[in-house]
């Protein structure tokens, strides 16, 4: 399961990789520095008191790693929940019908019809925020001046694909 799904810029990915490599090198250095004295003696491996000291050091490393993991997972879960609530805020506004729009802006039927026509318009508001005037920037053609509708194609081109009826 991926917790973080966002894409990073390549520069940030390189920085992430470098810090991860440095962290692994540091961990390996500490592990080798703690375990090497156990095996680096002329009489063979020492299994005395220093082994327990090394196990104590490894236990501290384990606890630090566990705390880091808990903090990182908690932070990722927090960011995931936060992004869900952010996505809900970005939902589209509910659809308003003509009556709701007319009541909200105190529109008359004539102004609502003018708003529905294509083209650009200048909308004037009064002090209360209601629409007081709508000025269209186009000229409506009378039905006599409008071009005739497009005729359907005489011979429409249809591509018939072979159907495989075998089961």
């Amino acid at each position: 399961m991926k917790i973080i799904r966002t894409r990073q810029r390549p520069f940030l990915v390189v920085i992430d990789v470098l810090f991860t490599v440095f962290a692994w090198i540091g961990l390996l250095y500490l592990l080798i520095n703690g375990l090497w004295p156990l095996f680096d003696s002329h009489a063979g491996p020492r299994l005395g008191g220093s082994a327990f000291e090394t196990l104590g050091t490894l236990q501290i490393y384990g606890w630090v790693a566990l705390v880091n993991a808990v903090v990182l997972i908690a932070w990722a879960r927090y960011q995931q929940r936060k992004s869900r609530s952010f996505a809900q805020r970005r939902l589209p506004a509910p659809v308003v019908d003509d009556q709701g729009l007319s009541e909200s802006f105190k529109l008359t039927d004539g102004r609502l019809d003018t708003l529905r026509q294509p083209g650009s318009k200048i909308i004037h508001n009064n002090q209360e925020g209601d629409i007081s005037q709508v000025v269209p920037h186009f000229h409506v053609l009378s039905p006599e001046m409008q071009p005739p509708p497009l005729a359907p194609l005489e011979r429409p081109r249809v591509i018939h694909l072979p159907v495989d009826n075998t089961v």
Side-chain angles (χ1 to χ4, degrees):
M1 172 181 91
K2 281 180 130 179
I3 295 176
I4 300 173
R5 295 185 179 101
T6 57
R7 292 191 107 153
Q8 288 184 336
R9 294 183 207 131
F11 177 71
L12 295 177
V13 171
V14 169
I15 289 177
D16 256 357
V17 168
L18 285 176
F19 278 127
T20 304
V21 167
F22 287 143
W24 277 106
I25 289 172
L27 178 65
L28 290 175
Y29 170 76
L30 291 174
L31 284 173
I32 290 171
N33 199 18
L35 291 174
W36 191 257
L38 287 176
F39 302 108
D40 188 30
S41 69
H42 296 293
R46 294 180 300 176
L47 299 175
S50 64
F52 290 114
E53 292 173 7
T54 303
L55 289 177
T57 304
L58 287 175
Q59 183 180 10
I60 291 172
Y61 293 162
W63 283 110
V64 168
L66 183 67
V67 168
N68 279 340
V70 167
V71 167
L72 288 174
I73 290 172
W75 178 255
R77 292 292 181 186
Y78 166 74
Q79 290 295 332
Q80 188 179 27
R81 287 193 180 130
K82 188 172 119 178
S83 69
R84 275 191 206 136
S85 65
F86 181 72
Q88 288 175 354
R89 289 190 306 235
R90 292 176 37 186
L91 291 175
V95 177
V96 180
D97 60 349
D98 291 345
Q99 182 181 1
L101 189 64
S102 297
E103 290 173 3
S104 176
F105 292 105
K106 295 189 176 72
L107 286 171
T108 62
D109 289 336
R111 288 189 189 130
L112 184 62
D113 290 337
T114 306
L115 284 174
R116 290 193 174 280
Q117 293 174 355
S120 60
K121 298 160 191 59
I122 296 176
I123 300 173
H124 298 276
N125 299 83
N126 59 14
Q127 294 295 328
E128 290 82 32
D130 301 328
I131 295 176
S132 61
Q133 186 180 6
V134 178
V135 181
H137 284 286
F138 64 93
H139 300 288
V140 179
L141 294 176
S142 63
E144 300 85 32
M145 296 183 68
Q146 292 181 357
L150 295 175
L153 294 174
E154 293 177 13
R155 300 178 73 198
R157 294 183 181 180
V158 179
I159 299 173
H160 296 283
L161 298 175
V163 178
D164 187 18
N165 291 331
T166 60
V167 178

